[in-house]
Amino acid sequence: MVDIVYTTVPGKIKTLLTKIRGTGIPSKVTVNWLKGIGFTSSNDGTLVPVLRVAGMIDGQSVPTPRWSEYRTSKHRAVLGEGIKSGYSELFAVYPDANKRSNAELENVFASRSSVGKQAISKTVSTFKTLVEEADFDDAAEPQDHPGHDTPAKRQPASAALAQPQRPNPASPSLHIDIQVHISSDASLEQIDKVFSSMAKHLYGTSS
């Protein structure tokens, strides 16, 4: 069954995650620990299950290795991995669950749970809030968006080089006129040498 985990204060998830990166690692996450870092509302205790589903704490609310990993510069990717693991059944239905609409997510949760509509809505809200704070590796799921260069549109370098390069009508062009002045008493041999030299320098031909 897909985990039905939610907090009644989803707006505080981001603040809590920031606190985790900026405070020491507790021996256990308790309501008193939450109060000690500023979460004093009676509803703030509902944040604990959220940390559990994200893999930050274990069944006894003890911080896991992921907690320490989350305190690094790769915290968004670490959280993304935790979300995929905690919501594995959801991602089995939608591999890109982090991009799905509320209605699609609600259908999955509702089809696998007997809780009410309000709880389902809060579960989706909690999931969406977590997703906003995470990064997901979508490299294996390329999306063909209009205007984006996809593998199907890319051409090998050799193919690109083989295509004739057409001048762009909007680009400025350069026109050069060369005038050659030859004395009227020049011999045919001298005239041939002049044009042979021009061909060599202009076209790269040998004399």
Side-chain angles (χ1 to χ4, degrees):
M1 180 179 293
V2 176
D3 286 331
I4 302 299
V5 176
Y6 63 85
T7 174
T8 56
V9 286
K12 294 185 178 182
I13 291 177
K14 180 177 180 179
T15 303
L16 176 58
L17 292 173
T18 301
K19 288 282 189 179
I20 289 175
R21 299 197 306 275
T23 59
I25 302 177
S27 57
K28 191 172 185 178
V29 174
T30 63
V31 172
N32 284 335
W33 178 79
L34 286 173
K35 289 181 179 180
I37 60 172
F39 295 88
T40 57
S41 169
S42 58
N43 291 324
D44 290 346
T46 60
L47 289 166
V48 176
V50 177
L51 295 179
R52 187 171 295 116
V53 76
M56 307 283 279
I57 57 177
D58 62 18
Q60 286 71 47
S61 296
V62 175
T64 65
R66 182 169 282 132
W67 184 295
S68 298
E69 293 171 5
Y70 185 73
R71 291 161 57 83
T72 69
S73 60
K74 298 180 179 180
H75 59 275
R76 290 185 63 88
V78 170
L79 180 59
E81 294 173 357
I83 293 172
K84 279 190 172 182
S85 177
Y87 292 91
S88 58
E89 290 191 34
L90 174 60
F91 279 89
V93 178
Y94 289 123
D96 59 345
N98 53 298
K99 299 179 181 178
R100 293 290 174 166
S101 67
N102 286 11
E104 290 172 313
L105 297 175
E106 287 174 358
N107 287 337
V108 176
F109 286 123
S111 68
R112 290 163 168 77
S113 176
S114 59
V115 300
K117 185 175 181 180
Q118 186 176 13
I120 294 296
S121 179
K122 290 179 179 178
T123 299
V124 171
S125 177
T126 298
F127 174 77
K128 284 278 195 175
T129 305
L130 278 171
V131 164
E132 290 176 1
E133 302 304 315
D135 285 338
F136 297 84
D137 182 11
D138 299 320
E141 305 163 7
Q143 302 292 323
D144 187 2
H145 298 295
H148 286 203
D149 186 22
T150 63
K153 296 178 182 178
R154 298 191 189 106
Q155 294 179 321
S158 58
L161 292 174
Q163 296 180 355
Q165 300 297 316
R166 298 180 180 179
N168 186 346
S171 301
S173 59
L174 179 65
H175 180 78
I176 301 175
D177 288 324
I178 299 177
Q179 296 182 358
V180 180
H181 298 277
I182 301 176
S183 173
S184 59
D185 59 353
S187 65
L188 291 176
E189 183 180 358
Q190 291 174 322
I191 295 174
D192 286 341
K193 287 184 178 181
V194 170
F195 284 102
S196 177
S197 178
M198 289 176 60
K200 177 181 178 181
H201 291 287
L202 293 178
Y203 303 108
T205 61
S206 57
S207 57

